[in-house]
Amino acid sequence: MSGPPRASRTAVLVCQGRAAADALIAPGRFADPTALTLLSPDEREAVQWVRDGVPPRTWRQRIDYETVRAAAELMAPRTIAIDDAIRAHPAPQLVILGAGLDGRAWRMPELAGVAVFEVDQPATQQDKRERAAALSGTPPRFVPVDFGRDRLAAALAAHGHRADLATTWVWEGVVPYLTRAEVAATVAELAACSAPGSRLVVNFQSPAASTALGRVVARLLTASTGRSSVWANEPWRSTWTSAAMAALLTRHGWTVTRDEDLLDTARALALPVRRGTSLRHSRVTVADRP
């Protein structure tokens, strides 16, 4: 018999990064008080090491420390860029695709009165709901979707999403794990249920040999501790240039209004940059539907 459902390991790492960065990286611009609550006690341990700024002594713990510290430095600018895009374009509906352990429905006051939907795999979503039970505030509408079988538009409609009202779509940290065909199919489906005035905020990875090499090194370092890498069962399947992503969005009726890499975002926020390559090849594109 299989055990209880668990969030994906990358979803946990993203949440750990946000928890470690909460009010420490870009104070006044970045805060996520939901992140720590969404983590289990053992997942919080490395977060506390990073927040304390004291690297642990054992090799295994040091790898965890460095992994979470790197995640924190990535998540602060990424989250700020996406949150700013949401705030700048109010809509009556917000849909978070592949939500993982996202806390926006609880932590963003700008979403009061907005119908917030979270879409994810059923097992991952069940785990999220159990973790989120301790959070106060209005939860999102959870939309379980088996992406290999279910139609996204139909699943959303069944949970109250209205295709005749403007929607802000947040597609964060998901695109690299999809094939190019899956990305194109998803963009087409989003376009089909996006009324005029809708906005798509998409985060993706641009091609870079150095980034791929970095992931290999990270997997080897984790293997040296006797464990499998956080990405072992969740490999990247596609990268996109800005031009290719813009062309795809344009074909489906979207107009790109902003595109930047996270290194530019971090520098504009005067954030410390230790891993410029990772930030440079992670992008956030904002596209609107006239």
Side-chain angles (χ1 to χ4, degrees), residues 19-270:
D22 176 33
L24 286 182
I25 297 180
R29 291 289 281 119
F30 176 83
D32 188 349
T34 70
L36 197 65
T37 302
L38 289 168
L39 295 170
S40 64
D42 62 307
E43 293 161 353
R44 295 173 189 167
E45 189 173 27
V47 170
Q48 195 58 55
W49 297 333
V50 174
R51 292 185 65 84
D52 291 343
V54 180
R57 297 193 174 207
T58 72
W59 177 248
R60 180 169 179 159
Q61 292 177 336
R62 182 61 184 264
I63 293 298
D64 292 343
Y65 170 89
E66 295 295 346
T67 301
V68 172
R69 183 166 71 157
E73 293 173 0
L74 175 69
M75 293 315 305
R78 189 170 100 178
T79 306
I80 290 169
I82 294 172
D83 286 358
D84 284 354
I86 295 170
R87 295 187 184 102
H89 192 87
Q93 303 178 119
L94 174 74
V95 178
I96 304 174
L97 302 166
L101 298 178
D102 191 292
R104 287 185 172 92
W106 293 270
R107 68 172 175 79
M108 290 187 70
E110 297 87 352
L111 298 180
V114 174
V116 181
F117 303 83
E118 286 195 3
V119 178
D120 218 327
Q121 298 282 357
T124 300
Q125 200 161 78
Q126 183 180 334
D127 177 76
K128 165 72 170 288
R129 295 178 76 150
E130 294 170 358
R131 291 169 180 258
L135 292 175
S136 60
T138 304
R141 304 182 194 183
F142 292 102
V143 184
V145 172
D146 182 334
F147 292 102
R149 182 180 61 190
D150 301 331
R151 292 298 303 272
L152 177 61
L156 280 167
H159 286 78
H161 179 262
R162 292 180 53 181
D164 62 326
L165 295 179
T167 300
T168 295
W169 305 90
V170 173
W171 202 11
E172 178 185 8
V174 177
V175 168
Y177 303 99
L178 304 177
T179 65
R180 294 180 75 85
E182 289 169 337
V183 173
T186 302
V187 170
E189 192 153 10
L190 299 185
C193 52
S194 291
S198 294
R199 165 166 284 192
L200 172 59
V201 187
V202 55
N203 161 239
F204 60 95
Q205 294 292 323
S206 60
S210 57
T211 302
L213 178 60
R215 286 171 66 85
V216 171
V217 171
R219 291 182 68 167
L220 291 173
L221 287 172
T222 304
S224 72
T225 69
R227 295 170 295 171
S228 63
S229 166
V230 66
W231 300 287
N233 296 317
E234 299 173 66
W236 282 0
R237 292 185 168 90
S238 70
T239 56
W240 296 76
T241 64
S242 291
M245 180 58 71
L248 172 64
L249 298 177
T250 300
R251 284 200 301 272
H252 292 284
W254 299 95
T255 300
V256 173
T257 55
R258 187 177 181 89
D259 174 73
E260 64 182 21
D261 65 56
L262 295 186
L263 182 58
D264 286 341
T265 304
R267 286 173 171 165
L269 293 165

